[in-house]
Amino acid sequence: MSLDHHRVLTSPTFTAPAWPGYFDSVIQLGAEPVADYTRGATLIWLCTAVKDWRQVLQDIQSTGSAGVVVMAMAPTPQEAREAFALGARAYIHALAGAPLLDQVTTAVQAGGYWLPETMMLQMIGTFDGLLSGTPDSHTDIATDELDRLTPREREVCQEVKSGNANKVIARNLGITERTVKEHLSRVFSKLGIRDRVQLMLYMNGKLELAESVTGGG
């Protein structure tokens, strides 16, 4: 995966183990203007180890020169909300490994957003406001698409809508986790959905949002 024009901004005291082998440019921020570091970049990976990282994010956004991925030292839903409200396109753990960094890069370069799946339900309102400008806007689920699902597949979808994990779904429906995964695989195929995060959004009436947000475990 090409990472030309990607830059990591971090503090002088922190560099994650995966960064040197993954990114070509890891910059320890000093006193120079942020623009000096971001000029020519297409994607900035900003670590929250940076003092006043929120202000740095705002400064980057004011230049309009690059998208920003916030890499959190200790991820929390509240901090994620702040990051996205300030214009970030993704929010991940600072210690994320190369496979996850690949996922984030792919999502953001495709024009989408990315955050951990565990935070997705809590973040639906935030994303809805960012993408539609109306925090409470909803789009009706296409009932003709759901009609293509079997009764059991629809039951699994309702469980996913509630945010239940496969183990909980299996217990609630009296089936095995393997069967839950098989149902989900068929649902994804029938509805043209990539993963359970998109399905969760889809079932909550966020059709446009489901196309723009990618989540991971």
Side-chain angles (χ1 to χ4, degrees):
M1 179 174 294
S2 174
L3 294 180
D4 292 343
H5 308 299
H6 287 217
R7 292 175 194 159
V8 174
L9 303 184
T10 188
S11 73
T13 60
F14 180 78
T15 298
W19 296 352
Y22 190 84
F23 296 103
D24 291 333
S25 180
V26 177
I27 300 170
Q28 295 178 334
L29 280 182
E32 296 85 352
V34 170
D36 290 352
Y37 299 113
T38 60
R39 190 174 294 111
T42 57
L43 189 61
I44 299 295
W45 301 71
L46 174 62
C47 183
T48 60
V50 171
K51 183 179 180 181
D52 298 328
W53 67 267
R54 295 170 181 82
Q55 183 60 54
V56 172
L57 175 52
Q58 291 183 70
D59 291 344
I60 296 171
Q61 290 301 306
S62 69
T63 68
S65 60
V68 179
V69 175
V70 171
M71 297 189 289
M73 300 294 289
T76 66
Q78 176 58 38
E79 188 177 75
R81 289 189 183 92
E82 292 181 56
F84 286 112
L86 291 172
R89 299 304 300 265
Y91 180 83
I92 66 172
H93 200 296
L95 297 178
L100 185 54
L101 297 177
D102 282 344
Q103 291 181 36
V104 174
T105 298
T106 298
V108 174
Q109 288 183 334
Y113 293 81
W114 197 100
L115 76 163
E117 181 177 334
T118 53
M119 294 183 183
M120 180 57 69
L121 273 180
Q122 297 162 294
M123 295 295 294
I124 285 177
T126 298
F127 273 106
D128 207 20
L130 286 170
L131 298 182
S132 69
T134 53
D136 295 322
S137 67
H138 290 261
T139 304
D140 291 335
I141 297 174
T143 55
D144 58 331
E145 293 184 357
L146 292 183
D147 286 343
R148 286 185 277 163
L149 305 181
T150 67
R152 179 62 88 184
E153 288 168 352
R154 288 196 290 271
E155 288 179 332
V156 171
C157 286
Q158 288 299 322
E159 292 285 333
V160 171
K161 178 181 179 180
S162 299
N164 292 333
N166 287 351
K167 184 176 182 178
V168 176
I169 296 174
R171 183 174 65 245
N172 289 348
L173 299 182
I175 56 180
T176 66
E177 287 188 60
R178 179 177 179 179
T179 301
V180 172
K181 293 178 181 178
E182 291 173 351
H183 284 311
L184 285 173
S185 179
R186 288 193 290 270
V187 167
F188 296 159
S189 178
K190 290 179 180 180
L191 299 182
I193 286 175
R194 289 195 302 267
D195 53 40
R196 69 185 298 119
V197 173
Q198 283 198 326
L199 178 60
M200 187 186 303
L201 291 167
Y202 177 91
M203 292 301 297
N204 278 280
K206 314 287 187 177
L207 304 188
E208 293 182 2
L209 183 56
E211 296 175 355
S212 301
V213 179
T214 302

